[in-house]
Amino acid sequence: MQKDTSTQKSTFGKEVHEGLTAYPKYLSSKYFYDETGDQLFQDIMAMPEYYLTNAEYAILDEHKESLASYFGDAKNPFSLYELGAGDGKKTKILLRYFSEKPMDFDYRPIDISQNALESLEQSIHHELPKVVINPIQGTYFETLTTIGQETARKKVILFLGSNIGNLLHPQAIEFLKKLKAVLREGDLIFMGFDQKKHPQTILNAYNDAAGITEAFNKNILTRINRELEGDFKLDKFLHWEVYDPETGTAKSFLVAKEPQQVSIAGLNLKITFDAWETIHTEISQKYDDRVVHWMAKEAGLQVLDQFSDQNKTYQNYLFKR
Ligand code: AVI
């Protein structure tokens, strides 16, 4: 008999069922991020191969003065929203600089994880006591509605880390349109876009020597094993990364090393893998200027300014409606 548990009804269960019974198989990268996945992603951001973090850090540091002048001042208050704030490490560069200036702002980090928000709030109180922080817990979708209803101050929305790159172009444009819908005249979006570069540099960033990205990718299988009573054997899968320099799309796969059957008791499901059959788990899109300007135009946004690091490995764009 089909199990009728809350597990099966959960979105995670439904999407795992859908993705693993499709051909070719796929799973969504949004499911990487449980407690272990969050920690592995922190480890990824600290890896030498994962150049994105340092590049964006350098951009924020170099252009903080110019950003301050776009965002506001003592007479022009603003709220700095950050989607998917995490540990706020990069944002603290701006917060520190702004809090040392006569600027009237509050910081509104948004994250799905209440834990992440609480530790961010504590660290801000401790390191930057002058910064007023008002966290918002929820998914991007829920919180966009909240943001849209807040009209008292100018809004500046940060979306850092090239998180937009985990969406295909049509979804990314839809997302930009949703952001645009919460902006009023004068509000801004400041967003990070990892740029096309030597393909080997990109492959190395997503296939590090220490195997942290492999563990991150396979964490989705561990999660299925734990939450949906699966019996995936992790060593029977390869972490495989490809990069297409024409489209700028990096793709992560899990590849079955041998024919095998996997049971997911929580979904009452048995899945067969042929040897070398794949599960597509993530895209990490790389951009060039032309594509970012095209996406902004499609979403009805204007590019007000753009900032890059010295090697042009990464760019942050300032959009207005
Ligand atoms: C969160 N996101 C922007 C990261 C990226 O670069 O696509 C996630 C990641 N996947 C593997 N390494 C990092």
Side-chain angles (χ1 to χ4, degrees), residues 123-134:
S123 77
I124 297 274
H125 284 323
H126 180 67
E127 293 169 41
L128 302 164
K130 283 203 255 166
V131 172
V132 178
I133 170 167
N134 293 308

Side-chain angles (χ1 to χ4, degrees), residues 188-243:
L188 300 170
I189 300 171
F190 183 68
M191 197 176 278
F193 291 80
D194 193 17
Q195 301 288 298
K196 288 180 177 174
K197 56 185 61 65
H198 195 304
Q200 194 60 51
T201 308
I202 292 170
L203 284 174
N204 294 347
Y206 293 90
N207 192 14
D208 59 290
I212 301 171
T213 312
E214 175 181 354
F216 183 60
N217 195 7
K218 288 186 175 178
N219 186 48
I220 204 163
L221 302 185
T222 310
R223 207 174 156 183
I224 294 173
N225 285 351
R226 189 183 58 245
E227 292 180 28
L228 302 172
E229 300 165 70
D231 67 356
F232 275 104
K233 309 259 179 315
L234 270 53
D235 55 359
K236 289 194 176 181
F237 287 85
L238 281 179
H239 163 68
W240 197 257
E241 191 70 23
V242 296
Y243 175 64

Side-chain angles (χ1 to χ4, degrees), residues 32-33 41 44 50 52 161-163 166 205-206 213 216 282-284 286:
F32 288 163
Y33 302 92
F41 185 53
I44 285 174
Y50 198 71
L52 289 82
S162 204
N163 284 339
N166 296 131
Y206 293 90
T213 312
F216 183 60
E282 188 181 46
I283 77 148
S284 297
K286 308 303 162 195

Side-chain angles (χ1 to χ4, degrees), residues 89-210:
K89 192 174 163 219
K90 285 176 286 193
T91 315
K92 283 179 186 166
I93 304 173
L94 298 182
L95 297 176
R96 178 165 293 111
Y97 183 76
F98 296 168
S99 66
E100 287 161 0
K101 301 265 153 204
M103 291 179 84
D104 181 0
F105 75 101
D106 70 339
Y107 176 45
R108 311 221 59 198
I110 295 157
D111 209 288
I112 193 160
S113 154
Q114 185 61 33
N115 269 347
L117 286 174
E118 279 167 17
S119 46
L120 177 58
E121 197 171 5
Q122 274 176 17
S123 77
I124 297 274
H125 284 323
H126 180 67
E127 293 169 41
L128 302 164
K130 283 203 255 166
V131 172
V132 178
I133 170 167
N134 293 308
I136 310 174
Q137 190 271 328
T139 61
Y140 294 160
F141 188 71
E142 293 158 359
T143 51
L144 280 184
T145 314
T146 313
I147 300 174
Q149 286 159 351
E150 294 181 354
T151 52
R153 289 168 158 234
K154 171 179 176 173
K155 296 182 192 90
V156 179
I157 303 176
L158 303 183
F159 194 50
L160 304 179
S162 204
N163 284 339
I164 187 98
N166 296 131
L167 302 175
L168 294 163
H169 288 325
Q171 299 166 345
I173 291 166
E174 273 314 300
F175 181 66
L176 289 173
K177 281 184 184 164
K178 289 203 174 93
L179 285 182
K180 186 199 164 192
V182 305
L183 300 185
R184 288 173 311 152
E185 196 61 39
D187 294 344
L188 300 170
I189 300 171
F190 183 68
M191 197 176 278
F193 291 80
D194 193 17
Q195 301 288 298
K196 288 180 177 174
K197 56 185 61 65
H198 195 304
Q200 194 60 51
T201 308
I202 292 170
L203 284 174
N204 294 347
Y206 293 90
N207 192 14
D208 59 290

